Amino acid sequence: MQRNRPAYAAMTAVDRQVVKHLMHQDTTWQEAQLTSITVKDVPYDVFYQSIGTTGLFLVSYIPAQAFMGSINQVTGVMVLAIVILSLIGFFLIILFYNNVVKQLNILTHKFKRVENGDYTTRITQFPGNEFDYVFNQFNQMVGGAEHLLQSYNHEWHLRESAELRQYQAQINPHFLFNSLFYIISVAHDPEAVTEMTAHLARYYRYQAQKNHLVTVGDELSFANEYLSVMALRKQIRYTLDCPEAVKSQPILPLLLQPLIENAITHGIENKAGADQIVGKRSLNGRI
């Protein structure tokens, strides 16, 4: 098409309206242009540009509805693609959480329980993936630690009991021999022999008990039997004072006798004129 002499041959009505519209445009035709026209109530988008110095122009037009339909179609495809990708991403996030994050949270929770001293905890739910091996190894590790701890506690109690029995064995012969010599020395006095024998019987009956824990009241009764025997042998006086609230407190057996024996050996026998022992236990635990 030429600017000054447009050719109308073989043109449709739309073509002629497009050319007529462009002929009245006050625009520079050296560059590509875009304009819109309406022919018989149908909007068109018109693209036009000059072809070099030939004086010819390339004109193209398309119904605006068809153009916008293509754009809307592309937009719809893009929106659908975004929605599908979002759903796929959401599915992958859920899959990652169930297969990785959730299992790590379970493992962390179990490790914290073990750290707090609960060696009986186990992982019982297996996800059916690589974490099955990790969970099995965790259960074996905690089970081994629990077995070692139980073995250690058992051996510790056995050693403690052996040490206690050894200590008791060291005390009994010394005390028994001295008491028997006292009985021999007072054989002429049946009343003294009877009293000493009764105290010894109660003393050794208490020692024959295999209790790991006794009460303070039991220890005081045992100490009273020991002091009664010592009072007969060494002519000493003694006083035991303890609040009633303390007598029900638990204590290891044979803790008071060594203290009393040391008090007699180092506090009375080595000091002239000393003949009395006073034992008190207060509520704050001091003796």
Side-chain angles (χ1 to χ4, degrees), residues 124-163:
T124 57
Q125 297 180 352
F126 294 88
N129 53 26
E130 289 78 5
F131 276 94
D132 288 356
Y133 175 77
V134 179
F135 288 173
N136 280 323
Q137 292 300 312
F138 173 84
N139 290 338
Q140 292 180 13
M141 179 192 68
V142 177
E146 181 184 15
H147 178 71
L148 289 176
L149 184 61
Q150 291 176 350
S151 299
Y152 173 78
N153 290 334
H154 180 67
E155 291 177 0
W156 185 81
H157 286 300
L158 290 178
R159 185 180 65 179
E160 186 181 48
S161 300
E163 291 177 352

Side-chain angles (χ1 to χ4, degrees), residues 1-6 8 18-26 29:
M1 184 186 74
Q2 295 182 346
R3 170 71 172 177
N4 296 324
R5 293 181 297 173
Y8 291 101
V18 170
V19 173
K20 184 179 178 180
H21 177 76
L22 294 178
M23 293 297 293
H24 292 84
Q25 293 293 319
D26 295 331
W29 284 46

Side-chain angles (χ1 to χ4, degrees), residues 66-124:
F67 181 73
M68 293 304 298
S70 299
I71 295 178
N72 292 335
Q73 184 178 5
V74 173
T75 303
V77 172
M78 292 181 63
V79 171
L80 181 61
I82 292 174
V83 171
I84 293 175
L85 290 176
S86 299
L87 292 176
I88 294 175
F90 183 72
F91 174 76
L92 291 177
I93 290 174
I94 294 178
L95 190 64
F96 178 78
Y97 176 80
N98 289 332
N99 291 337
V100 179
V101 178
K102 186 177 180 180
Q103 314 309 324
L104 290 177
N105 290 337
I106 293 175
L107 191 61
T108 302
H109 174 69
K110 294 297 183 179
F111 268 116
K112 288 182 178 180
R113 293 189 61 176
V114 173
E115 184 179 357
N116 292 331
D118 183 8
Y119 291 95
T120 61
T121 184
R122 298 291 188 276
I123 298 177
T124 57

Side-chain angles (χ1 to χ4, degrees), residues 67-271:
F67 181 73
M68 293 304 298
S70 299
I71 295 178
N72 292 335
Q73 184 178 5
V74 173
T75 303
V77 172
M78 292 181 63
V79 171
L80 181 61
I82 292 174
V83 171
I84 293 175
L85 290 176
S86 299
L87 292 176
I88 294 175
F90 183 72
F91 174 76
L92 291 177
I93 290 174
I94 294 178
L95 190 64
F96 178 78
Y97 176 80
N98 289 332
N99 291 337
V100 179
V101 178
K102 186 177 180 180
Q103 314 309 324
L104 290 177
N105 290 337
I106 293 175
L107 191 61
T108 302
H109 174 69
K110 294 297 183 179
F111 268 116
K112 288 182 178 180
R113 293 189 61 176
V114 173
E115 184 179 357
N116 292 331
D118 183 8
Y119 291 95
T120 61
T121 184
R122 298 291 188 276
I123 298 177
T124 57
Q125 297 180 352
F126 294 88
N129 53 26
E130 289 78 5
F131 276 94
D132 288 356
Y133 175 77
V134 179
F135 288 173
N136 280 323
Q137 292 300 312
F138 173 84
N139 290 338
Q140 292 180 13
M141 179 192 68
V142 177
E146 181 184 15
H147 178 71
L148 289 176
L149 184 61
Q150 291 176 350
S151 299
Y152 173 78
N153 290 334
H154 180 67
E155 291 177 0
W156 185 81
H157 286 300
L158 290 178
R159 185 180 65 179
E160 186 181 48
S161 300
E163 291 177 352
L164 181 61
R165 287 193 299 269
Q166 182 181 6
Y167 184 68
Q168 292 173 345
Q170 293 175 353
I171 295 175
N172 293 342
H174 175 74
F175 179 76
L176 177 61
F177 295 155
N178 290 335
S179 299
L180 291 177
F181 281 123
Y182 172 79
I183 292 176
I184 293 174
S185 64
V186 295
H188 59 280
D189 187 355
E191 183 177 352
V193 172
T194 301
E195 184 178 2
M196 172 64 78
T197 304
H199 287 307
L200 285 176
R202 289 191 291 267
Y203 176 87
Y204 281 103
R205 182 177 60 185
Y206 179 85
Q207 277 199 340
Q209 298 176 359
K210 297 181 179 180
N211 297 327
H212 295 287
L213 288 177
V214 296
T215 63
V216 174
D218 294 335
E219 276 292 284
L220 288 175
S221 299
F222 176 68
N224 183 70
E225 299 298 337
Y226 174 79
L227 285 171
S228 298
V229 172
M230 298 303 293
L232 292 174
R233 287 172 45 200
K234 298 180 178 294
Q235 302 297 321
I236 62 175
R237 296 176 297 135
Y238 65 90
T239 302
L240 296 176
D241 185 14
C242 179
E244 292 297 326
V246 179
K247 291 183 178 181
S248 60
Q249 297 298 317
I251 190 175
L252 291 174
L254 296 178
L255 285 183
L256 293 183
Q257 185 205 0
L259 297 178
I260 297 174
E261 185 175 0
N262 288 335
I264 295 175
T265 303
H266 303 287
I268 293 180
E269 293 180 349
N270 294 335
K271 294 183 179 180

